[in-house]
Amino acid sequence: MNKKVNFENAELVVARKNILRELSAFEYEYNPPSALKSEQRYARYGIKLPFKIYYQYKMPFGLESSYDLLFWLQFGDKRFKFPTSEEEWAELNRINVNGMREQDKKLMEFYRTIPYEQFRALVDWAKQLSPDDMIAEIKRLNPELAHIKTDGKTSMITNPLTDFIQGVAYGFAPEDIELCLTTGYDELQKIVGNPRYQNLRFGHITTPENYEALLVAEQQIKQIEQSKQNSGKE
């Protein structure tokens, strides 16, 4: 391999990191982790829960952001057909964005700045990292996830691979990821359908034990707010 090819590959690696950085920042802006928002909310009230809500996991293969995993999942998905020529890429980028949601419009405008060679290299990179390798490396770097089985078929949301990767990307607790991967549909429906939990301001499914602790925390928040009102504070 000559120096010119090495230099070009290095440029594509830098371009890939820059694209993922922009995409992840964009996704984070419009779809921030619900676990982090919940953790921050309880922290504002000085409430210490008996469990962690949000986890910042170590990322595999040099990924900079947990949201990079979402785009690895998207670009590596064999069900999607991506442009295979500059002509197809140009045609895709001529889609009329009028009438789109603002965030979708901004995303399309960003894609239009990406040269086809860089986009193709991004897709090729994503497809080279197999799901088994990705999961194994995530578990190696994060021992608290190592026990979670990802080879089952009981996953309620979509499938074990997607649910595991998205759970890690959004910083869900290990017990919450495991719950969705190993609990049957009917049993999980009983948890999420429990009337006691319907008014909780919590963005994802967690265990019954955690829900009970959250109910106590919500009662504390009500008491704090009531105390503010009684003392004339806003």
Side-chain angles (χ1 to χ4, degrees), residues 42 48-53 173-176 178-179 183 187-188 190-192 194 196-197 200 202 204-218:
Y42 289 115
K48 180 69 174 177
L49 293 170
F51 59 94
K52 282 182 65 175
I53 299 179
E175 64 266 24
D176 296 340
E178 184 176 25
L179 181 72
T183 305
E187 185 178 349
L188 205 52
K190 288 180 181 179
I191 297 174
V192 300
N194 190 323
R196 285 173 56 79
Y197 309 144
L200 283 174
F202 198 66
H204 64 277
I205 302 171
T206 190
T207 67
E209 295 78 13
N210 286 356
Y211 274 131
E212 291 299 322
L214 291 171
L215 285 175
V216 173
E218 290 299 321

Side-chain angles (χ1 to χ4, degrees), residues 133-189:
D133 289 342
M134 182 65 79
I135 290 176
E137 185 65 2
I138 289 173
K139 288 183 174 182
R140 185 186 73 80
L141 294 171
N142 303 279
E144 63 269 43
L145 299 172
H147 69 285
I148 299 177
K149 294 182 179 180
T150 54
D151 56 354
K153 296 182 179 179
T154 59
S155 195
M156 172 200 172
I157 313 302
T158 48
N159 61 65
L161 166 64
T162 300
D163 290 348
F164 181 82
I165 293 298
Q166 289 186 341
V168 172
Y170 292 123
F172 295 162
E175 64 266 24
D176 296 340
I177 298 174
E178 184 176 25
L179 181 72
C180 286
L181 285 169
T182 61
T183 305
Y185 178 83
D186 291 340
E187 185 178 349
L188 205 52
Q189 282 299 303

